[in-house]
Amino acid sequence: MASVSTFYQKAEEILKSGILGKIIHLNGYFSFIPPYDPADRKFNLTLGGGSLLDIGIYPVIDALTFMGIPDDIKASASFAGSGSEESLSTIFKYNDGRMAHYTVHSGRMLEQVARFSAKKEI
């Protein structure tokens, strides 16, 4: 996931180098379990609450950084009592067949991972 860590910088260097080939798929998960409080910024719509703006931005940054701007976006969400999205699953589609899929959740622990698939022409 997006960060300034040495690990992320090295992964970015490898992925952008082309040594693995063209990235054709990204599958990412990011989650955490905060205590539910409708007044908290993570759940309060007037404060920009919801899993997308709080934690979902990390896999979005990964997709945009390594795959570019998608040609189509599909998303589906489930919502907390405050109306903010608690879980969000998104697919970025590219006209050349590439896809990025990620799920973020602020009420259930999932893996914290970004998996890339690449295809190298021989």
Side-chain angles (χ1 to χ4, degrees):
M1 301 298 165
S3 113
V4 294
S5 73
T6 303
F7 174 79
Y8 189 86
Q9 291 171 350
K10 186 62 176 176
E12 182 176 18
E13 176 187 323
I14 292 168
L15 290 167
K16 286 187 170 183
S17 75
I19 194 167
L20 301 175
K22 182 177 183 178
I23 297 170
I24 58 172
H25 191 260
L26 161 63
N27 191 0
Y29 297 93
F30 199 87
S31 65
F32 76 119
I33 305 174
Y36 180 71
D37 177 359
D40 185 275
R41 69 156 182 86
K42 291 182 277 309
F43 298 98
N44 187 322
L45 293 178
T46 60
L47 299 175
S51 59
L52 175 61
L53 293 178
D54 189 52
I55 60 174
I57 196 64
Y58 299 110
V60 168
I61 290 170
D62 287 343
L64 294 175
T65 298
F66 300 116
M67 300 181 77
I69 297 172
D71 297 299
D72 189 33
I73 300 172
K74 303 281 188 216
S76 184
S78 60
F79 298 91
S82 66
S84 66
E85 77 279 353
E86 180 178 66
S87 178
L88 177 71
S89 191
T90 305
I91 298 173
F92 285 6
K93 296 176 90 175
Y94 300 83
N95 287 340
D96 61 2
R98 296 175 302 135
M99 293 176 63
H101 171 259
Y102 65 88
T103 299
V104 295
H105 206 296
S106 61
R108 183 177 317 143
M109 279 309 288
L110 306 170
E111 324 176 68
Q112 312 296 329
V113 67
R115 291 187 184 96
F116 295 87
S117 299
K119 181 178 181 181
K120 184 149 185 141
E121 299 297 327
I122 298 176

